[in-house]
Amino acid sequence: MAAPGRETAARRAAAGAGILAALAGCGDAEPGGSPRASDGTATSAGAGAGGQGGGASETPVEAILAELRADRDAALLAHAARTGWPVPVDGGYLFVSTSASLRLLAGEHDGWTGAEMTGDAGFHWIVLNMPAGARYKFTDRTAWAADPWSRACTYDEFGEMSLVAPREAHLERHFAVGDAAMAPRTVRVWVPEGAVDRVLYVHDGQNLFDPAGPAGGWHLQDHAPPGVLLVGVDSTPARLAEYTHVEDRIEEGGALIGGEGDAYADFLRDTVRPFIRARYGEPGPIGIMGSSLGGLIGFHAAARHRGEYAFAASLSGTMGWGSIGADVRHETMIERYAAHTERAATLYLDSGGGGDCVDGDGDGIEDDDPAAADNYCENLQLRDVLTRVGSPYVEGESVFYAWHAGATHDEAAWAARVADPLRIFEAL
């Protein structure tokens, strides 16, 4: 998701508006698609982590149906948090569709023919016994949709597929993770096959895994090294505020915006990480990664909670935030890291774009070429700060920098190079 850099006022305004969009992701309904699964091996749960399993306690079907009739959405959310959908019950699993038209459940278990679900008070339901890892969708035999409440899912050539109790590599989703300071949001987890030996927290979770995401998404699961648990934390409409450590101004004459980065970094440490630790464990090196403003907030979190993260990666990070407005002189990440006498973490930073890096307004940040793109100058200056004589960071050991000349500021460009920081993290 693009973030504003020092560009024209119009371009900054457009970028700022675009930042606020919250995008769809794993498990969201897809109205079209094919009923058939791919011929490949079904990906499913592994590593003994957080999906539904045969050992889950079973709630009587009638008790769950009563909850759904009383308050459908609250019951859906409660059981999504407890066991995940579909819910294990006596006789198999309880599946629920809230679509008025998608009243058949089809999957690998029945050759994608579809079984009629029972109509009820604003939902349809069915109990079926399916094997672990089975794929399914809701359908009317014309439209096909993944289960928007399923805990586990994967993707194939027909799009998103919901999974039952997977045991191989797969994606899982947890709804409404929040705290007193941060609005609830979805947390998406790539669960690798086999043992987990390290965990990487990544911002803008809704853009990471879904091939139907913006610009094709990151396809992050396709680059995941063995043993890495990837935790994608969704952004919200408050992204610009949450992902920035200080206020800044991105439109001439506009209001100061941003500055809730401390609360977001604390939310990761005090709410998201304990949530993941309780369900999956949190072994080995812990990393944090993001793009654009996500790269900025990752570096902020690594510096704010020094020692909590072994690795911080930024792709096209907005490292000049704090000095974009002509009259704004707040601390940038360049200045913060220039003051470091001890390492915060092993660092990776990059950008595409290019430009002439000049400090035309004398604020110490070389970001005043209007033709510069993709935060190139700010990241180059940060690289120079990190690798200067006397810095606690050593190039090629604790700081890694890459320039992808002309690369654009979008998910497709980040997907094309995200394997690089993942390899560095894998080697820690």
Side-chain angles (χ1 to χ4, degrees):
M1 189 177 289
R6 181 177 291 280
E7 302 174 81
T8 65
R11 189 169 179 179
R12 289 197 301 267
I19 282 167
L20 301 178
L23 302 169
C26 168
D28 294 320
E30 40 179 44
S34 166
R36 302 177 58 118
S38 71
D39 293 331
T41 302
T43 57
S44 48
Q52 311 106 310
S57 60
E58 295 176 354
T59 303
V61 172
E62 283 304 324
I64 301 174
L65 295 177
E67 294 175 38
L68 289 162
R69 291 165 189 148
D71 190 333
R72 185 193 71 181
D73 291 347
L76 286 165
L77 185 59
H79 286 279
R82 195 171 304 149
T83 62
W85 290 94
V87 174
V89 295
D90 186 30
Y93 292 90
L94 172 63
F95 299 80
V96 170
S97 172
T98 57
S99 168
S101 59
L102 303 182
R103 295 177 285 187
L104 302 174
L105 177 71
E108 294 174 323
H109 64 287
D110 66 356
W112 299 94
T113 58
E116 188 75 33
M117 304 175 76
T118 299
D120 214 302
F123 61 94
H124 294 78
W125 63 272
I126 193 170
V127 173
L128 288 176
N129 190 9
M130 289 193 192
R135 302 181 180 202
Y136 72 94
K137 283 189 176 185
F138 298 132
T139 182
D140 60 5
R141 296 200 177 97
T142 299
W144 302 80
D147 181 352
W149 286 97
S150 66
R151 167 69 58 83
C153 73
T154 188
Y155 299 97
D156 65 10
E157 65 267 36
F158 299 110
E160 184 186 314
M161 288 284 180
S162 301
L163 298 173
V164 177
R167 291 177 180 165
E168 298 174 0
H170 66 286
L171 283 161
E172 292 189 358
R173 179 181 53 180
H174 301 274
F175 302 101
V177 179
D179 60 21
M182 290 286 106
R185 67 208 61 211
T186 298
V187 173
R188 307 164 196 270
V189 183
W190 171 254
V191 183
E193 187 171 3
V196 172
D197 61 21
R198 63 198 64 215
V199 182
L200 182 65
Y201 293 88
V202 192
H203 312 297
D204 292 313
Q206 62 266 57
N207 298 353
L208 303 178
F209 304 110
D210 188 350
W218 288 37
H219 296 258
L220 194 57
Q221 66 272 36
D222 295 341
H223 303 288
V228 177
L229 189 81
L230 297 170
V231 180
V233 183
D234 277 18
S235 54
T236 73
R239 178 182 188 269
L240 192 150
E242 293 177 357
Y243 283 15
T244 53
H245 60 299
V246 292
E247 292 183 325
D248 207 334
R249 196 187 318 277
I250 61 174
E251 287 185 318
E252 187 175 350
L256 287 170
I257 54 177
E260 296 179 13
D262 285 355
Y264 180 78
D266 294 350
F267 165 66
L268 291 178
R269 182 192 62 178
D270 300 334
T271 299
V272 176
R273 290 185 58 191
F275 180 91
I276 294 299
R277 196 177 300 128
R279 288 157 180 80
Y280 302 91
E282 201 187 44
I286 309 303
I288 190 168
M289 180 169 74
S291 62
S292 193
L293 288 178
L296 171 67
I297 197 61
F299 270 44
H300 171 66
R304 177 171 174 79
H305 298 304
R306 194 168 304 201
E308 293 284 334
Y309 300 99
F311 180 68
S314 166
L315 289 77
S316 306
T318 315
M319 297 305 179
W321 184 271
S323 73
I324 293 174
D327 59 342
V328 180
R329 295 293 183 272
H330 293 154
E331 180 194 47
T332 66
M333 212 50 57
I334 298 167
E335 294 161 320
R336 177 178 298 182
Y337 275 79
H340 281 188
T341 57
E342 297 179 359
R343 290 203 307 262
T346 295
L347 305 174
Y348 169 91
L349 67 159
D350 71 18
S351 79
D356 295 323
C357 301
V358 296
D359 178 15
D361 58 6
D363 65 356
I365 306 302
E366 298 170 0
D367 60 353
D368 296 319
D369 175 10
D374 198 41
N375 296 314
Y376 163 72
C377 291
E378 297 92 320
N379 281 280
L380 179 62
Q381 186 177 6
L382 178 55
R383 189 282 308 268
D384 292 344
V385 159
L386 292 169
T387 58
R388 75 192 187 284
V389 174
S391 169
Y393 300 94
V394 178
E395 190 165 14
E397 295 181 11
S398 56
V399 60
F400 300 84
Y401 168 80
W403 176 40
H404 299 265
T408 51
H409 196 81
D410 54 42
E411 273 73 19
W414 299 323
R417 63 182 191 258
V418 72
D420 295 338
L422 289 175
R423 278 192 291 269
I424 297 168
F425 182 56
E426 182 186 15
L428 293 182

